[in-house]
Amino acid sequence: MKNRIIAIILTITLLVTLAIPVVAAGDGNWGDDNAPWNVGITNDKLLGNYELGTSKEFEIAYYPSDSVGLKAIRHIEITGDYPVSGFEYYENGKWNDVEQFTSKIVFKDTTKQKVHVTFNKEGKYTIKFWVSTADGNQSVVAKRVINVAKTSITLYREVETTPTVVPTTKDIEPVTTEPVTVAPTTKDETESEASTQAPTTKPIITEPVTIKPTTVVPTTKSVTTTAAQKVKVGKTAIKKAVKQKKAKKAKISLKKVKKVSGYQVQISTSAKFVKKLTITKNIKKTSCTIKALKAKKVYYVRARAYIVKGKKKYYGTWTVKKKVKFIK
């Protein structure tokens, strides 16, 4: 009877737990429970089988909680090792370019929205979907860091390894091996061994073998294997991006990030930053002027910070792309 009561209590607890949205450890699925709404990215449709270079459809979701009728601003982006293509969302009965996604919405009922994207190369990618208050003071984020392979998409898990240190000279004592002589086997032993082995065409004769003493020389230097460093790079933001309509240059101003080596800025006539339509510039300061542009053309800009350690450069995540503003 006692066991039955315990089983009923555990079952009720499990059902209550499943019914209440919680913060998924490390996934950022539900955002802040104190916010007036929650957002999510559906795992089951995003992960699993995938054919590289084809369209992958998944879902994002809005959970209004007690915020029905509240206005907010929504955003979505995908950053990663390589550019993606075909990034669109389904709304008003048609597929729309993700460039139009950032807009004001009014929370009604719980809503799920279809999104699709094409990954052209294997690598690590981050999908970020967030909703902020109209004044921008509060934001709730859902994020997925994924590994895209030729045949599947899986959640990305970073594994930190501990450096291994080989003992130094003090820790190792010289070891000398005593000579060992192997005597020939007797007739009885030969017959016994032959009964358990596959038959051979010639008899096996074992000669005495003497092993010479071997001395293990201790190492004179300590050898240390260091795990790959994990470098965190802060995210910058575009404070200002302006261009005179007829001019062929644009002025870009960024938010300063502490302890970084510089910034990488990209400006393009392509909202997807196609390589042949994009100018990339590395700068040390937080502002720059990019020349050789075309007059009266609409441009988009994005930026990221980077840190140089040794001969390697570590990049932060891209900012949300911003349309360059025309000025008089």
Side-chain angles (χ1 to χ4, degrees):
M1 182 66 180
K2 185 178 179 181
N3 289 339
R4 181 181 289 180
I5 293 172
I6 292 172
I8 292 171
I9 292 171
L10 289 173
T11 302
I12 293 171
T13 303
L14 179 61
L15 289 172
V16 171
T17 303
L18 291 173
I20 300 173
V22 294
V23 178
D27 285 342
N29 187 29
W30 301 105
D32 184 356
D33 285 341
N34 297 317
W37 53 74
N38 285 319
V39 294
I41 299 173
T42 305
N43 259 349
D44 57 353
K45 293 193 176 182
L46 175 63
L47 308 179
N49 295 334
Y50 178 63
E51 184 181 344
L52 196 67
T54 63
S55 181
K56 176 67 175 178
E57 187 175 305
F58 61 95
E59 284 184 340
I60 56 177
Y62 309 82
Y63 303 89
S65 184
D66 56 353
S67 59
V68 175
L70 194 64
K71 292 182 179 179
I73 302 173
R74 62 184 183 176
H75 314 263
I76 192 168
E77 69 175 12
I78 296 180
T79 55
D81 293 339
Y82 300 98
V84 298
S85 59
F87 191 14
E88 297 177 322
Y89 67 100
Y90 193 79
E91 191 171 63
N92 298 325
K94 63 177 182 177
W95 287 100
N96 305 276
D97 191 287
V98 77
E99 181 189 342
Q100 304 168 31
F101 186 82
T102 302
S103 60
K104 288 185 179 180
I105 59 170
V106 177
F107 276 99
K108 296 179 182 177
D109 301 321
T110 295
T111 304
K112 289 188 177 181
Q113 192 163 42
K114 291 188 290 186
V115 180
H116 67 203
V117 63
T118 298
F119 297 101
N120 300 298
K121 292 189 178 181
E122 294 181 288
K124 173 186 168 186
Y125 297 85
T126 299
I127 301 174
K128 183 180 174 185
F129 165 46
W130 72 103
V131 176
S132 56
T133 51
D135 57 10
N137 289 331
Q138 192 172 25
S139 185
V140 181
V141 180
K143 187 168 72 171
R144 288 285 178 275
V145 183
I146 57 174
N147 264 329
V148 176
K150 289 182 180 179
T151 58
S152 66
I153 295 177
T154 56
L155 277 180
Y156 178 83
R157 301 289 186 191
E158 282 190 297
V159 180
E160 293 187 13
T161 56
T162 305
T164 304
V165 180
V166 177
T168 58
T169 309
K170 294 181 180 180
D171 301 319
I172 303 175
E173 293 294 332
V175 179
T176 305
T177 306
E178 293 294 332
V180 178
T181 304
V182 180
T185 57
T186 63
K187 182 180 180 182
D188 293 339
E189 289 173 341
T190 306
E191 289 176 357
S192 173
E193 187 175 336
S195 65
T196 59
Q197 295 180 349
T200 57
T201 55
K202 293 182 180 181
I204 300 172
I205 300 173
T206 307
E207 295 291 337
V209 178
T210 303
I211 301 175
K212 293 182 180 181
T214 304
T215 304
V216 179
V217 181
T219 56
T220 55
K221 294 183 181 180
S222 62
V223 181
T224 304
T225 303
T226 306
Q229 289 183 321
K230 183 180 177 184
V231 179
K232 286 189 176 181
V233 184
K235 186 174 180 180
T236 185
I238 298 169
K239 293 170 67 176
K240 194 175 182 181
V242 295
K243 174 185 180 298
Q244 290 182 350
K245 195 168 186 179
K246 296 182 181 180
K248 295 184 180 180
K249 61 183 179 179
K251 293 183 179 180
I252 314 296
S253 178
L254 307 176
K255 175 187 173 184
K256 187 175 182 179
V257 181
K258 293 180 179 179
K259 298 179 180 179
V260 297
S261 306
Y263 306 86
Q264 187 176 73
V265 180
Q266 285 190 338
I267 187 166
S268 177
T269 53
S270 165
K272 296 176 182 177
F273 291 88
V274 175
K275 191 173 182 180
K276 64 181 180 180
L277 302 174
T278 302
I279 297 172
T280 301
K281 188 170 185 178
N282 292 323
I283 59 174
K284 298 291 184 183
K285 297 181 179 180
T286 55
S287 61
C288 67
T289 299
I290 299 179
K291 300 179 181 179
L293 305 180
K294 295 179 181 179
K296 299 181 182 180
K297 272 278 188 180
V298 175
Y299 280 89
Y300 301 90
V301 65
R302 65 179 182 178
R304 59 182 177 179
Y306 65 83
I307 292 174
V308 177
K309 282 190 176 290
K311 294 182 179 180
K312 193 163 184 180
K313 192 177 283 186
Y314 299 87
Y315 290 96
T317 55
W318 288 109
T319 61
V320 177
K321 68 172 178 257
K322 190 171 184 178
K323 190 180 289 187
V324 177
K325 186 179 180 182
F326 285 132
I327 58 172
K328 293 182 180 180

